[in-house]
Amino acid sequence: ALLVPSSSFIEDNSEITDNSAYFEGLQTEYETYELTLGTGDKRTVTVPISYNPKTGLYYLVDPERKIAAGSYPDMAFHYTINLTSASSKDGFSENNLFTYDSVIKVWDFYASHGLKSVDGFGTPVFVALGYCDSSGNDIDNACYFGINRGWACVAFSEANRWGNCLDMVGHEFTHGVTRESMRGMIYSN
């Protein structure tokens, strides 16, 4: 008999913390943007944009899916959650909008197969923008960097436009799915 290693998701996730405050009190609408790819071609994306009446700012936050975009350096080096915001719906960079849209599409793909977030528990997803080293130098890469402070975290740099590439975003998100389904196994190479 051929024995093949297999794995399954854990029955509960002790790394989940209550991040509901980041999604409460927001007024969310879907906004459509025409964005320019690195090739010069145009792409239209429609994403949820959330307005917080308390701050008067708009955020790349999707309360339904529990996805929020924010600062990688603040989370990784200052241990704070600083969500990407703008004073108007048109104040977001194209790179950030592409990345946010791509993560939502990958999340929806997995949800269509019964898996919400990377672990099936609906752990909120943090789209960490501005992936860099501790000196603030952009890292020309993207990564899944685990569950941190109750967020499943994927990071994307400003040094490239990996967020434009649905396959690249899917690749990083899938590292999260692989990690969460391999609890207790060594995940290397």
Side-chain angles (χ1 to χ4, degrees), residues 131-177:
Y131 184 34
C132 63
D133 64 22
S134 61
S135 298
N137 301 308
D138 289 333
I139 296 173
D140 189 11
N141 206 344
C143 74
Y144 173 77
F145 64 102
I147 294 181
N148 296 278
R149 289 178 284 293
W151 298 89
C153 301
V154 288
F156 299 91
S157 173
E158 295 297 322
N160 53 53
R161 295 180 64 104
W162 297 125
N164 291 339
C165 306
L166 189 57
D167 59 340
M168 181 70 151
V169 174
H171 172 99
E172 298 308 334
F173 196 96
T174 302
H175 277 298
V177 173

Side-chain angles (χ1 to χ4, degrees), residues 30-33 44-48 101 104:
Y30 278 78
E31 297 295 328
T32 300
Y33 300 90
T44 301
V45 301
T46 302
V47 294
D101 177 62
I104 289 169

Side-chain angles (χ1 to χ4, degrees), residues 82-109:
N82 183 11
L83 299 180
T84 300
S85 64
S87 58
S88 74
K89 295 176 200 174
D90 296 323
F92 299 105
S93 77
E94 286 195 358
N95 196 36
N96 290 350
L97 286 166
F98 268 128
T99 304
Y100 178 59
D101 177 62
S102 294
V103 170
I104 289 169
K105 286 177 178 167
V106 172
W107 192 99
D108 285 347
F109 168 80

